[in-house]
Amino acid sequence: MSFLIQQTLLFMVPLMIVALAGCFAERSGIINLALEGIMIFGAFIGVLFVRIMQEKEVFEAAKSAGRWGSLQFFEILAMLIAGLAGAIFSLLLAFAAINLKADQTIGGTALNMLAPALVLFLVRIMVNQNTLMMAKGDAASWFMIKKSTFGIDKKTDIGFLGETLINKVYIATYICILIYIILAVILYKTKFGLRLRSCGENPQAADSLGINVVKMRYIGVVISGFLAGMGGFVYALTSSNCSANGDVAGFGFLALAVMIFGNWKPLNIAGGALLFGLFKCIAACYSTLDINGDGVFWLAEIGISTHVYRLLPYVITLLVLAFTSKQSRAPKAEGIPYDKGKR
Amino acid sequence: MSGIKKFFAKDGTKSVISSLISILIGLVFGAIVVFIVGMSKKTIGVKGAWEGVRLIFFGVLNTGRSATGALTWGFNASNLGNMLFRSTPVILTGLSVAVAFKTGLFNIGAPGQYLMGTLASLALALSLPSDKLPTWLIWIIAFVGAMAAGAIWGAIPGLMKAVFNINEVIACIMTNWIAANLVTWFFDGSAFCNVEEYGKTGYIYKTSFNNVATAKFGLDKLFAGSQANAGILIATLLAVVMYIVMNKTTLGYQLKACGSNRHAARYAGIKDKRNIVLSMAIAGSLAAAGSALYWLSGNTEFFWSTYQSLPGDGFNGIPVALLALNNPIGVVFAGIFMAMLNIVGMQLSNLTAYNEYITDVIIAVIVYMSAFSLVIRMLLNGRPKKEKAPKKSGKEAN
């Protein structure tokens, strides 16, 4: 059970944070189709940062002395760098969509094509293969929090909660959840959040009340880029052993679907992310999933093909969208370039 | 006004020029990236960087290296023939995206439709007995079957858009991944996997194993040593047909009317829902036709375990359609250009320390530039920015 919860969290958290990223952009009135591309770019820069730091042996002493606090700081720093990279990358979308009033779907598609191409081009030139890995060690030995981190012996039982929450986890997961809560509150309970949302509903009215629509939309897109870039790195760190290969397995698009399914509301988005995280987790590791701990892997034993499990997340997304689309309400001004003269 | 001035004042000319400017900016950007990377890497240096830049612009006319290691230039029959062959699928996926665009739909589902076409064409071409049926009949059945499969697959997001009002972009993306999984599932462990040749079980048999292959029409002689075949002619023919359908028939008029304003079209008595589904079905069949022409050529092998990746030819339909400004005839030229970039990428990775992904960067920049083709055309019009009221270019959300 701990294993199931932890694995679900690994898939759920990047989805959730990236879906919130999409939410911030769309609430301000810009469709951010580029989430996938921004994630790829953020993951690349984050991994590159980790690699460079390792090559320069900045955290080498902390690693050999086992000072896990410094290593966690290292991880958080990499998340920040990845987020900043995502924010800068998303400025390309903001410029095209806000200043040049270009078609946002096409701009987003352009970034989605640019990110993997650029990343693969650079990675291939740098390391002569298609995957950029850490310079030494792996994500588990550098960043993962384990029992031994707290000086507890491997065989000691620390109870269900302990096993689930502090054994074999990444601090990134908890930081993302924290950021998610803070930003959700900001979006819904503060003056700034209200202003941001008003730009996505009726920018002309917002402008007439003295809100700078262009600035607000820029902020929305940049926050979105930051979260997506960070989410991309968190995905790379926790699910693909801190490596970048110009691919995040369609997570950016899945996050978009989660956002629509969650009706552009943080709480619903978290619920949607949980659902898809669970199905993604089942698809990835159904054969080793021992749900109630009795040593029976019944998901593997009922003999359904692997392909069915791999299909499930996408089919369910479509079905859920079909059933929920009647109540779904997108921000009204989303996708429409702001034009002062229009009513 | 003199003749030349009149020619440049035409809307069509301006569109072509704005596309050409996008292409130029994309190529220059690619050249700059190649140059900077070359300078910062000691193993490449100025000489290597300069070679890379020249290859980006003229790679298709490169004939390799001379004995002294210098690049040689000239008519390269196999490159040009391969360019025509590689352009076949992207012309058709581009056509697919362009037709959907005309109806106001963004068909990002071309990769999925392409995959379903792959499944149908390969399964039909390899399973029908070539000793009982004439091979040309098998070819036609496989081609038509692929188009039918693509039409069905394209109609799914169309239906979801028409009935449930689900954003077609999301629906298309989901159907893409479903298609990728279905194709892998279908071929996994099937009799189509190539077990006769050593180390090829990851691939499906070439259709020539069943003696099915696209006719060459002498193109293989014209472009010696290349894969060129009649596929390019069929693709061009389909483009002309789509041009006629979109511009000269009632059906085309109805589709375009739905694209311009769905509600107004319905008010005028046009069945908007039917037309959305129909448009996606046509788009799907075109994308699938592209894949059929590629895989039925007899010398291509399909890597079937594709559940984690989508075919690039499907996505490349988007830049092709954008470059061609959704004009079916323009799509043919844009598709050939895209295939030229593809050849350039291969030349780069064969001859220099660079790799083929730089061409994807160039394509992405071109797409980004075409997002503000509006601005470029505004500059071409020569009007001051302030006077021109920006057109609403964002399509209706959801």
Side-chain angles (χ1 to χ4, degrees), chain B residues 214-225:
Chain B
T214 314
K216 296 281 191 192
F217 275 18
L219 283 169
D220 55 334
K221 303 216 169 55
L222 192 57
F223 301 105

Side-chain angles (χ1 to χ4, degrees), chain A residues 31 33 91-93 95-96 100-107 109-111 113-114 116-118 120-122 124-126 130 247 249-250 253-254 256-257 260 264 305 307-308 310-311 313-315 317-319 321-322 325-326 330-332 334-337 339 342, chain B residues 29 33-34 37 41 44 101 106 108 156 160 163-167 169-171 173-175 177-178 181-182 184-185 188 307-308 315-316 318-319 322 353-358 360-361 363-365 367-368 370-372 374-375 385 390-395 397-398:
Chain A
I31 296 181
L33 206 65
L91 282 176
L92 282 174
L93 174 71
F95 178 69
L100 297 178
K101 302 186 194 322
D103 189 311
Q104 298 167 6
T105 324
I106 297 173
T109 308
L111 292 201
M113 301 178 96
L114 182 61
L118 199 61
L120 276 173
F121 177 70
L122 294 175
R124 182 77 86 75
I125 291 225
M126 267 187 277
N130 278 356
D247 188 16
F253 291 124
L254 213 54
L256 266 181
I260 294 178
W264 291 267
S305 161
H307 302 292
V308 176
R310 287 198 196 123
L311 269 173
Y314 307 108
V315 176
T317 310
L318 263 188
L319 288 180
L321 281 176
S325 65
K326 289 281 180 226
K332 269 210 187 78
E334 150 196 286
I336 305 167
D339 178 4
K342 261 180 54 184
Chain B
F29 181 86
V33 170
V34 158
V37 168
K41 194 121 171 145
I44 300 177
F101 255 132
F106 186 37
I108 202 170
I156 294 173
M160 302 210 92
V163 180
F164 299 112
N165 199 25
I166 296 176
N167 189 332
V169 174
I170 294 291
I173 289 164
M174 292 302 139
T175 50
W177 288 106
I178 294 173
N181 278 289
L182 279 181
T184 310
W185 190 5
D188 188 8
Y307 68 96
Q308 277 178 322
F315 282 117
N316 282 342
I318 297 166
L322 289 172
Y354 298 104
N355 55 66
E356 68 271 24
Y357 295 107
I358 187 66
D360 290 341
V361 174
I363 294 172
V365 172
V367 174
Y368 187 70
S370 68
F372 32 93
L374 206 74
V375 178
K385 258 187 187 171
K391 267 185 225 155
K392 180 179 159 244
S393 63
K395 63 193 176 59
N398 285 321

Side-chain angles (χ1 to χ4, degrees), chain B residues 56-391:
Chain B
I56 279 187
F57 282 97
F58 310 109
V60 77
L61 293 174
N62 178 273
T63 50
R65 285 185 187 279
S66 66
T68 54
L71 294 173
T72 52
W73 306 90
F75 177 78
N76 187 335
S78 90
N79 266 1
L80 287 169
N82 283 336
M83 177 178 91
L84 289 182
F85 175 69
R86 293 283 314 140
S87 72
T88 315
V90 284
I91 286 175
L92 284 167
T93 51
L95 209 53
S96 157
V97 177
V99 168
F101 255 132
K102 287 266 184 194
T103 321
L105 297 164
F106 186 37
N107 180 20
I108 202 170
Q113 295 146 12
Y114 183 94
L115 279 171
M116 292 318 261
T118 309
L119 192 158
S121 61
L122 284 177
L124 286 170
L126 288 171
S127 57
L128 292 173
S130 61
D131 46 353
K132 294 197 185 103
L133 291 171
T135 50
W136 59 266
L137 187 65
I138 297 180
W139 192 95
I140 290 175
I141 292 174
F143 185 70
V144 173
M147 283 184 80
I152 294 169
W153 204 250
I156 294 173
L159 271 172
M160 302 210 92
K161 168 94 177 175
V163 180
F164 299 112
N165 199 25
I166 296 176
N167 189 332
E168 79 276 8
V169 174
I170 294 291
C172 279
I173 289 164
M174 292 302 139
T175 50
N176 278 348
W177 288 106
I178 294 173
N181 278 289
L182 279 181
V183 168
T184 310
W185 190 5
F186 179 81
F187 284 124
D188 188 8
S190 72
F192 300 111
C193 299
N194 189 343
V195 289
E196 278 182 28
E197 286 175 275
Y198 177 73
K200 287 282 181 74
T201 46
Y203 294 88
I204 303 300
Y205 286 113
K206 295 173 183 173
T207 50
S208 48
F209 269 74
N210 201 17
N211 297 322
V212 178
T214 314
K216 296 281 191 192
F217 275 18
L219 283 169
D220 55 334
K221 303 216 169 55
L222 192 57
F223 301 105
S226 76
Q227 297 175 293
N229 62 28
I232 179 76
L233 303 177
I234 298 171
T236 314
L237 185 71
L238 279 173
V240 173
V241 168
M242 282 325 292
Y243 178 81
I244 294 169
V245 167
M246 291 311 279
N247 292 311
K248 309 284 178 199
T249 66
T250 322
L251 173 68
Y253 182 77
Q254 290 190 348
L255 291 179
K256 283 193 288 188
C258 284
S260 309
N261 190 334
R262 190 178 158 183
H263 306 289
R266 188 167 58 207
Y267 183 69
I270 295 171
K271 291 196 180 82
D272 59 333
K273 289 186 177 174
R274 188 202 70 150
N275 278 315
I276 285 175
V277 179
L278 197 58
S279 161
M280 284 303 289
I282 294 174
S285 67
L286 287 170
S291 78
L293 288 181
Y294 188 73
W295 300 114
L296 289 177
S297 73
N299 48 27
T300 44
E301 306 180 290
F302 178 60
F303 182 74
W304 56 265
S305 183
T306 180
Y307 68 96
Q308 277 178 322
S309 62
L310 295 170
D313 279 343
F315 282 117
N316 282 342
I318 297 166
V320 167
L322 289 172
L323 262 187
L325 298 164
N326 305 327
N327 181 321
I329 304 296
V331 161
V332 177
F333 295 102
I336 291 176
F337 169 73
M338 211 55 77
M340 191 199 87
L341 279 185
N342 192 298
I343 302 291
V344 165
M346 285 197 290
Q347 293 280 48
L348 270 176
S349 56
N350 287 342
L351 295 170
T352 67
Y354 298 104
N355 55 66
E356 68 271 24
Y357 295 107
I358 187 66
T359 56
D360 290 341
V361 174
I362 294 173
I363 294 172
V365 172
I366 292 173
V367 174
Y368 187 70
M369 291 313 298
S370 68
F372 32 93
S373 60
L374 206 74
V375 178
I376 298 179
R377 250 177 293 172
M378 214 155 67
L379 292 176
L380 284 178
N381 279 337
R383 280 188 233 166
K385 258 187 187 171
K386 278 174 198 161
E387 269 179 38
K388 171 112 180 169
K391 267 185 225 155

Side-chain angles (χ1 to χ4, degrees), chain A residues 16-212:
Chain A
M16 187 171 94
I17 204 90
V18 178
L20 187 72
C23 188
F24 258 89
E26 302 220 346
R27 281 294 189 178
S28 76
I30 305 290
I31 296 181
N32 192 350
L33 206 65
L35 289 175
E36 175 101 354
I38 299 173
M39 276 180 85
I40 290 170
F41 191 70
F44 167 65
I45 296 290
V47 173
L48 186 65
F49 172 75
V50 169
R51 200 183 152 88
I52 289 173
M53 284 292 142
Q54 283 183 328
E55 276 166 357
K56 298 223 182 300
E57 306 198 332
V58 177
F59 288 90
E60 198 63 27
K63 165 78 173 129
S64 49
R67 284 204 306 276
W68 63 276
S70 319
L71 289 181
Q72 296 307 317
F73 172 71
F74 183 22
E75 181 182 333
I76 295 169
L77 207 61
M79 282 169 71
L80 261 179
I81 299 278
L84 283 177
I88 293 168
F89 195 59
S90 69
L91 282 176
L92 282 174
L93 174 71
F95 178 69
I98 301 169
N99 295 73
L100 297 178
K101 302 186 194 322
D103 189 311
Q104 298 167 6
T105 324
I106 297 173
T109 308
L111 292 201
N112 280 339
M113 301 178 96
L114 182 61
L118 199 61
V119 166
L120 276 173
F121 177 70
L122 294 175
V123 167
R124 182 77 86 75
I125 291 225
M126 267 187 277
V127 293
N128 220 357
Q129 60 183 30
N130 278 356
T131 314
L132 185 72
M133 316 261 249
M134 291 167 74
K136 53 191 112 171
D138 55 12
S141 67
W142 277 72
F143 300 121
M144 195 188 259
I145 300 174
K146 298 174 282 264
K147 280 180 195 170
S148 53
T149 315
F150 305 103
I152 304 170
D153 185 69
K154 258 188 190 162
K155 299 206 172 79
T156 329
D157 188 22
I158 49 175
F160 172 69
L161 275 183
E163 288 282 356
T164 313
L165 296 180
I166 62 165
N167 188 23
K168 294 186 185 164
V169 293
Y170 290 95
I171 200 165
T173 307
Y174 298 113
I175 290 183
C176 282
I177 294 176
L178 193 69
I179 292 179
Y180 187 87
I181 294 171
I182 294 173
L183 283 178
V185 169
I186 287 180
L187 191 58
Y188 268 86
K189 303 287 175 199
T190 65
K191 203 158 68 180
F192 164 75
L194 185 65
R195 287 180 175 170
L196 188 89
R197 282 182 293 139
S198 73
C199 292
E201 297 292 337
N202 192 338
Q204 282 83 9
D207 198 4
S208 76
L209 295 173
I211 297 169
N212 188 339

